[in-house]
Amino acid sequence: MASELILIVEDNQRNLKLVRDLLQYQGYRTIEADNPADGLQLARSHQPSLILMDIQLPGMDGITALRYLRNDPMTADILVVALTAFAMKDDQTRFLDAGFNGYIAKPIDIKQFAQQIQACLHPAREGDEQ
Ligand code: MN
């Protein structure tokens, strides 16, 4: 079963708790930061399999944080998925163009979430499990 480490960077405590609970229920290990600076540090020190990155964050936005991750050899190859309330088509394109590996729209769809995470971690197996 899944035991990959996932870093959640989210400043909204309710969203953070929801995402954490859903991930842990699926068997993932989680670490978390409520601001991008701490998130960048945790990414370096813990080398998570996946980072779920909120876009609207204090200090710098998620796209800027992603740029730092990609420019750092220690974190350049980590999968990073945008966690965002901006889910219009233009925004989706903007996130993928910025270098995110995917995006998950907020509010979180509790029924879809596990599959979305699985698809992010293992793209080849996308859709083979409900
Ligand atoms: Mn936020």
Side-chain angles (χ1 to χ4, degrees):
M1 196 39 207
S3 65
E4 283 126 320
L5 181 65
I6 300 181
L7 168 59
I8 311 160
V9 185
E10 166 65 89
D11 63 323
N12 180 296
Q13 292 301 317
R14 273 182 53 194
N15 278 330
L16 179 62
K17 177 177 173 12
L18 174 63
V19 170
R20 177 209 301 135
D21 289 350
L22 289 171
L23 290 172
Q24 291 185 355
Y25 181 74
Q26 292 296 321
Y28 297 107
R29 294 175 297 127
T30 63
I31 47 177
E32 56 198 51
D34 65 4
N35 67 83
D38 288 349
L40 294 174
Q41 223 163 21
L42 286 175
R44 287 179 63 97
S45 58
H46 286 72
Q47 299 289 305
S49 300
L50 175 68
I51 300 173
L52 294 179
M53 179 74 76
D54 183 27
I55 296 300
Q56 289 185 298
L57 287 163
M60 74 177 85
D61 67 28
I63 293 175
T64 306
L66 174 72
R67 204 165 295 140
Y68 279 98
L69 290 167
R70 293 297 187 234
N71 285 333
D72 181 343
M74 292 274 293
T75 57
D77 296 328
I78 298 175
L79 291 170
V80 187
V81 169
L83 196 60
T84 175
F86 304 103
M88 308 301 288
K89 195 155 186 69
D90 285 354
D91 293 314
Q92 296 173 358
T93 304
R94 186 161 63 94
F95 296 135
L96 297 179
D97 286 350
F100 283 100
N101 298 97
Y103 52 83
I104 293 177
K106 291 194 284 193
I108 302 287
D109 183 333
I110 293 171
K111 287 182 182 164
Q112 292 293 321
F113 187 71
Q115 194 177 3
Q116 290 174 314
I117 294 297
Q118 187 68 21
C120 294
L121 281 167
H122 306 288
R125 298 183 57 200
E126 185 172 359
D128 84 349
E129 196 182 343
Q130 175 55 36

